Coordinates of all heavy atoms in Angstrom, one line a residue:
S773 N 133.9 31.3 162.8 CA 134.0 30.6 164.1 C 133.5 29.3 164.1 O 132.9 28.9 163.2 CB 133.3 31.5 165.1 OG 131.8 31.6 164.9
G774 N 133.8 28.6 165.2 CA 133.2 27.2 165.4 C 134.2 26.2 165.1 O 133.8 25.0 165.4
G775 N 135.5 26.4 164.7 CA 136.5 25.4 164.6 C 136.8 24.8 165.9 O 136.4 25.2 167.0
G776 N 137.7 23.8 165.8 CA 138.2 23.1 167.0 C 138.8 21.7 166.6 O 139.0 21.4 165.5
L777 N 139.2 21.0 167.8 CA 139.6 19.7 167.6 C 138.5 18.7 167.8 O 137.7 18.7 168.7 CB 140.7 19.5 168.7 CG 141.4 18.1 168.8 CD1 142.0 17.7 167.6 CD2 142.2 18.0 170.1
V778 N 138.5 17.8 166.9 CA 137.4 16.8 166.8 C 137.9 15.4 166.5 O 138.9 15.4 165.7 CB 136.2 17.1 166.0 CG1 136.6 17.2 164.6 CG2 135.0 16.2 166.1
Q779 N 137.4 14.3 167.0 CA 137.9 13.0 166.6 C 137.3 12.6 165.3 O 136.2 13.1 164.9 CB 137.5 12.0 167.7 CG 138.2 12.2 169.1 CD 137.9 11.1 170.0 OE1 136.8 10.4 169.8 NE2 138.5 10.9 171.1
P780 N 137.9 11.7 164.6 CA 137.4 11.1 163.3 C 136.1 10.6 163.6 O 135.7 10.0 164.5 CB 138.4 10.1 162.9 CG 139.7 10.5 163.6 CD 139.3 11.2 164.9
G781 N 135.1 11.0 162.6 CA 133.7 10.7 162.7 C 132.9 11.7 163.5 O 131.7 11.6 163.4
G782 N 133.5 12.7 164.0 CA 132.8 13.7 164.7 C 132.2 14.8 163.8 O 132.3 14.7 162.6
S783 N 131.7 15.8 164.5 CA 130.9 16.9 163.7 C 131.2 18.2 164.4 O 131.6 18.3 165.5 CB 129.4 16.6 163.9 OG 129.0 15.4 163.3
L784 N 131.2 19.2 163.5 CA 131.4 20.6 163.8 C 130.3 21.5 163.0 O 130.0 21.0 162.0 CB 132.8 21.1 163.6 CG 133.9 20.6 164.6 CD1 135.2 21.1 164.0 CD2 133.6 21.2 166.0
R785 N 130.1 22.6 163.6 CA 129.3 23.6 162.9 C 130.1 24.9 162.8 O 130.3 25.5 163.9 CB 127.9 23.8 163.4 CG 127.0 24.7 162.5 CD 125.7 25.1 163.1 NE 125.8 26.2 164.1 CZ 124.8 27.0 164.5 NH1 123.7 26.8 163.9 NH2 124.9 27.9 165.3
L786 N 130.4 25.4 161.6 CA 131.1 26.6 161.4 C 130.2 27.7 161.1 O 129.0 27.4 160.5 CB 132.2 26.5 160.4 CG 133.1 25.3 160.4 CD1 134.1 25.4 159.4 CD2 133.8 25.3 161.8
S787 N 130.4 28.9 161.7 CA 129.6 30.1 161.4 C 130.4 31.2 160.7 O 131.6 31.3 160.9 CB 129.0 30.6 162.6 OG 128.2 29.6 163.3
C788 N 129.8 31.9 160.0 CA 130.5 33.1 159.2 C 129.5 34.3 159.3 O 128.4 34.2 158.8 CB 130.8 32.7 157.8 SG 131.4 34.1 156.8
A789 N 129.9 35.4 160.0 CA 129.2 36.6 160.0 C 129.7 37.8 159.3 O 131.0 37.8 159.3 CB 128.8 36.8 161.4
G790 N 129.0 38.6 158.7 CA 129.5 39.8 158.1 C 128.5 40.8 157.9 O 127.3 40.8 158.4
F791 N 128.9 41.8 157.1 CA 128.0 42.9 156.8 C 127.0 42.5 155.8 O 127.3 41.8 154.8 CB 128.8 44.2 156.4 CG 129.7 44.7 157.5 CD1 131.2 44.5 157.3 CD2 129.3 45.3 158.5 CE1 132.0 44.9 158.3 CE2 130.1 45.8 159.5 CZ 131.5 45.6 159.4
R792 N 125.9 43.3 155.9 CA 124.7 43.0 154.9 C 125.2 43.3 153.5 O 124.8 42.6 152.5 CB 123.6 43.9 155.2 CG 122.4 43.7 154.4 CD 121.3 44.8 154.6 NE 120.9 44.8 156.0 CZ 120.0 43.9 156.5 NH1 119.3 43.2 155.7 NH2 119.6 44.0 157.7
S793 N 126.1 44.3 153.3 CA 126.6 44.7 152.0 C 127.4 43.6 151.3 O 127.4 43.4 150.1 CB 127.6 45.9 152.1 OG 128.6 45.7 152.9
I794 N 127.9 42.6 152.2 CA 128.6 41.5 151.6 C 127.7 40.4 151.2 O 127.7 39.8 150.1 CB 129.7 41.0 152.5 CG1 130.8 42.0 152.8 CG2 130.3 39.7 152.0 CD1 131.7 41.6 153.9
F795 N 126.8 40.1 152.1 CA 125.8 39.0 151.8 C 124.8 39.2 150.9 O 124.2 38.3 150.3 CB 125.2 38.6 153.2 CG 126.2 37.8 154.1 CD1 127.1 38.4 154.9 CD2 126.1 36.4 154.1 CE1 128.0 37.8 155.7 CE2 127.0 35.7 155.0 CZ 127.9 36.3 155.7
G796 N 124.3 40.4 150.7 CA 123.2 40.8 149.8 C 122.9 39.8 148.8 O 122.3 38.8 149.0
P797 N 123.2 40.1 147.5 CA 122.8 39.4 146.4 C 123.7 38.2 146.0 O 123.4 37.4 145.1 CB 122.7 40.4 145.3 CG 123.7 41.4 145.6 CD 123.9 41.4 147.1
V798 N 124.7 38.0 146.9 CA 125.8 37.2 146.3 C 125.7 35.7 146.7 O 125.1 35.5 147.6 CB 127.2 37.7 146.7 CG1 127.5 39.2 146.2 CG2 127.4 37.7 148.2
I799 N 126.4 34.9 145.9 CA 126.6 33.5 146.3 C 127.7 33.6 147.4 O 128.8 34.2 147.2 CB 127.0 32.7 145.1 CG1 125.9 32.7 144.0 CG2 127.3 31.3 145.6 CD1 126.4 32.1 142.7
M800 N 127.5 32.8 148.4 CA 128.6 32.7 149.5 C 129.1 31.3 149.5 O 128.5 30.4 149.0 CB 127.9 33.0 150.8 CG 127.4 34.4 151.0 SD 128.7 35.6 150.9 CE 129.8 35.1 152.3
G801 N 130.4 31.2 149.8 CA 131.0 29.9 149.8 C 131.9 29.8 151.1 O 132.3 30.7 151.7
W802 N 132.1 28.4 151.3 CA 133.2 28.0 152.3 C 134.3 27.5 151.6 O 134.2 26.7 150.7 CB 132.6 27.0 153.4 CG 131.7 27.7 154.4 CD1 130.3 27.7 154.4 CD2 132.2 28.1 155.6 NE1 130.0 28.3 155.6 CE2 131.1 28.6 156.3 CE3 133.4 28.3 156.2 CZ2 131.2 29.2 157.6 CZ3 133.6 28.9 157.4 CH2 132.5 29.3 158.1
Y803 N 135.5 27.8 152.0 CA 136.8 27.5 151.5 C 137.6 26.8 152.5 O 137.4 27.1 153.7 CB 137.5 28.6 150.8 CG 136.7 29.4 149.9 CD1 135.7 30.3 150.1 CD2 137.0 29.3 148.4 CE1 135.0 30.9 149.2 CE2 136.3 30.0 147.4 CZ 135.3 30.8 147.9 OH 134.6 31.5 147.0
R804 N 138.7 26.1 152.1 CA 139.6 25.6 153.1 C 140.9 25.6 152.6 O 141.2 25.5 151.3 CB 139.2 24.2 153.6 CG 139.3 23.1 152.7 CD 138.8 21.6 153.4 NE 139.0 20.6 152.5 CZ 138.5 19.4 152.7 NH1 137.8 19.2 153.8 NH2 138.9 18.4 152.1
Q805 N 141.9 25.7 153.4 CA 143.3 25.6 153.1 C 144.2 24.9 154.0 O 144.0 25.0 155.2 CB 143.8 27.1 152.9 CG 145.2 27.2 152.3 CD 145.6 28.6 152.1 OE1 145.1 29.6 152.7 NE2 146.4 29.0 151.1
T806 N 145.1 24.0 153.5 CA 146.0 23.4 154.3 C 147.4 23.9 153.9 O 147.6 24.4 152.7 CB 146.0 21.8 154.1 OG1 146.1 21.5 152.7 CG2 144.6 21.3 154.6
P807 N 148.3 23.7 154.8 CA 149.7 24.2 154.5 C 150.3 23.7 153.3 O 150.4 22.5 152.9 CB 150.6 23.7 155.8 CG 149.5 23.6 156.8 CD 148.3 23.1 156.1
G808 N 150.9 24.6 152.4 CA 151.4 24.2 151.2 C 150.5 24.0 150.0 O 151.0 23.7 148.9
K809 N 149.1 24.2 150.3 CA 148.2 24.0 149.2 C 147.4 25.3 149.0 O 147.3 26.1 150.0 CB 147.2 22.9 149.6 CG 148.0 21.5 149.6 CD 146.8 20.4 149.8 CE 147.4 19.0 149.7 NZ 146.5 18.0 149.8
Q810 N 146.8 25.4 147.9 CA 145.9 26.5 147.5 C 144.6 26.4 148.3 O 144.3 25.3 148.5 CB 145.7 26.7 146.0 CG 146.9 27.1 145.3 CD 146.7 27.5 143.8 OE1 145.6 27.0 143.3 NE2 147.3 28.4 143.3

């Protein structure tokens, strides 16, 4: 959550929530995808 429309130079804070079993010992990452790209 936390996405939206922002002007160039602006700021946003994204959040990601899940189960403890996912977050436990693992490394977590943020990824992004644009149309036509991996």
Side-chain angles (χ1 to χ4, degrees):
S773 62
L777 174 63
V778 62
Q779 292 186 340
S783 300
L784 283 173
R785 188 185 80 159
L786 307 183
S787 299
C788 170
F791 296 108
R792 183 187 302 273
S793 59
I794 296 175
F795 282 81
V798 300
I799 299 172
M800 294 298 297
W802 278 97
Y803 303 76
R804 70 185 188 188
Q805 186 171 26
T806 55
K809 293 188 177 181
Q810 286 192 333

